[in-house]
Amino acid sequence: MTAPSLYSFAIFVTDIDRARTFYDEVLRLPVGKAGAFGFQLFEGPPFVSVHPAQHPDSRAMVGRQTGITIEVPKLLDYCSELGHFGVKFLAEPTQQAFGMMAMIADPDGNVLALWEDNVTPPEPAE
């Protein structure tokens, strides 16, 4: 018997076409399978699946912290580009002990973290 594995994380939105434009054209995330269910991001699994919020339970999940972190090389340049598109920043890029981090919201207010691993590992002890 094959062990279960992680398939996807879900983001729910009110306007699937607007979300597709945001995730595909603004964030430039790779879009895979798409259909009546919405669309999938990345080449996973695991995927990030973006779904229309049609059921009352899914509508209650629109506009929340997703807990999803996207690794972005050259985060400052990327965030500068996003600013030109009017992306809403909840936290500007800030250097942290674990790397550089920014927080953005999609058009429905779903919160995503953007992260660059720019921390140099310590030198090995001699």
Side-chain angles (χ1 to χ4, degrees):
M1 179 177 197
T2 304
S5 62
L6 181 61
Y7 184 74
S8 71
F9 300 93
I11 297 174
F12 293 95
V13 298
T14 59
D15 183 328
I16 199 70
D17 293 329
R18 178 179 67 178
R20 173 81 186 251
T21 298
F22 178 79
Y23 287 99
D24 182 18
E25 297 176 20
V26 176
L27 296 186
R28 298 187 322 271
L29 300 178
V31 174
K33 210 172 5 173
F37 70 91
F39 57 93
Q40 292 177 329
L41 299 169
F42 303 109
E43 297 176 9
F47 300 97
V48 173
S49 297
V50 181
H51 302 289
Q54 297 172 334
H55 187 274
D57 290 341
S58 63
R59 284 194 292 273
M61 296 174 66
V62 173
R64 64 185 174 88
Q65 171 57 262
T66 65
I68 296 170
T69 300
I70 299 168
E71 185 174 10
V72 179
K74 299 184 180 179
L75 182 61
L76 288 176
D77 294 339
Y78 185 75
C79 288
S80 178
E81 292 174 22
L82 296 182
H84 293 299
F85 283 102
V87 171
K88 181 179 180 182
F89 281 84
L90 305 175
E92 295 290 330
T94 306
Q95 185 64 48
Q96 308 284 337
F98 52 83
M100 186 169 297
M101 177 81 68
M103 302 293 282
I104 63 169
D106 75 4
D108 277 301
N110 294 304
V111 178
L112 302 160
L114 305 176
W115 171 69
E116 178 182 3
D117 183 4
N118 65 356
V119 177
T120 306
E123 293 292 322
E126 292 183 24

